[in-house]
């Protein structure tokens, strides 16, 4: 007579909980069957291999779902960044792609709120001297300062070009 774990629990509530899990693992465990003998080592290994495979498959599914979710979030962030660059103008977006720095990043590095050549040069010189390798500074930070200055100067050039184009357009 074979009983599933839940049926055993209702019929014999005094049995320990471990009995339920063993009954689920090994069919016929604890049943009053005179022909039942415990499974061989090979049989137990097969049962354990089956459960190990199920655990690995479930783990792979969890990791796969998390990866898919992260990928969707990255695509959404990429679309949002592309939309933001599109609003800033095509030339500005191209300059950001070439330099590897966005306009906002360059402004943060040089601590500049508005684009003015004097403020850019003043902050650049100060940060370049402070981060000089000979005074214990960082070459990496110094190169970031140089790239930020180049990016801001490129943005100033783009703005000046756009202003010239606006002036050259015939006014109606």
């Amino acid at each position: 007579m074979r009983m599933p774990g839940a049926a055993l629990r209702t019929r014999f509530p005094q049995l320990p909980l471990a009995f339920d899990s063993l009954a689920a693992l090994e069919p016929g465990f604890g049943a009053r069957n005179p022909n039942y003998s415990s499974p061989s080592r090979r049989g137990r290994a097969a049962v354990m291999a089956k459960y190990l495979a199920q655990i690995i498959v479930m783990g792979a599914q969890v990791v796969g779902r998390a990866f898919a979710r992260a990928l969707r979030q990255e695509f959404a962030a990429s679309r949002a960044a592309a939309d933001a660059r599109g609003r800033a103008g095509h030339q500005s977006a191209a300059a950001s792609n070439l330099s590897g720095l966005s306009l906002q990043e360059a402004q943060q590095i040089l601590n500049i709120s508005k684009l003015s050549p004097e403020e850019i040069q003043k902050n650049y010189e100060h940060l370049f001297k402070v981060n000089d390798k000979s005074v214990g500074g960082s070459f990496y930070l110094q190169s970031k300062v140089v790239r930020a200055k180049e990016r801001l100067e490129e943005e100033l050039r783009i703005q000046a070009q756009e202003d010239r184009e606006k002036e050259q357009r015939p006014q109606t």
Side-chain angles (χ1 to χ4, degrees):
M1 174 164 99
R2 188 169 167 261
M3 288 188 259
L8 284 172
R9 173 63 43 218
T10 57
R11 187 149 181 199
F12 303 105
Q14 69 276 13
L15 293 175
L17 290 177
F19 187 81
D20 287 343
S21 61
L22 288 174
L25 285 175
E26 299 180 21
F29 180 82
R32 296 182 184 182
N33 185 350
N35 297 329
Y36 178 75
S37 64
S38 66
S40 65
R41 285 183 187 233
R42 192 174 294 166
R44 280 190 220 133
V47 169
M48 294 307 285
K50 174 184 161 189
Y51 288 117
L52 183 61
Q54 287 177 346
I55 290 170
I56 290 171
V57 167
M58 283 191 291
Q61 287 175 344
V62 168
V63 170
R65 285 188 200 116
F67 181 74
R69 186 179 309 127
L71 202 56
R72 281 193 299 270
Q73 289 175 350
E74 183 60 33
F75 284 149
S78 175
R79 265 188 249 119
D83 291 343
R85 280 194 305 258
R87 279 184 261 123
H90 295 292
Q91 288 182 335
S92 182
S96 291
N97 286 338
L98 288 175
S99 68
L101 285 176
S102 70
L103 179 61
Q104 292 80 14
E105 286 175 306
Q107 287 177 319
Q108 287 177 345
I109 290 170
L110 288 181
N111 194 25
I112 293 173
S113 56
K114 61 179 181 150
L115 294 178
S116 70
E118 298 82 20
E119 189 177 2
I120 291 172
Q121 189 62 33
K122 183 182 97 178
N123 288 2
Y124 165 76
E125 288 173 358
H126 170 71
L127 290 171
F128 192 83
K129 287 177 188 173
V130 168
N131 289 302
D132 191 9
K133 187 93 168 152
S134 63
V135 294
S138 166
F139 179 73
Y140 172 76
L141 292 177
Q142 197 176 36
S143 67
K144 285 296 238 184
V145 169
V146 170
R147 298 294 167 246
K149 178 183 181 240
E150 289 173 351
R151 175 64 179 96
L152 293 174
E153 286 175 343
E154 181 68 19
E155 191 66 28
L156 285 172
R157 188 191 63 74
I158 291 169
Q159 285 181 357
Q161 183 179 356
E162 288 175 355
D163 290 344
R164 280 190 304 258
E165 289 174 2
K166 284 181 185 177
E167 291 173 1
Q168 291 177 356
R169 289 183 191 158
Q171 295 186 0
T172 55

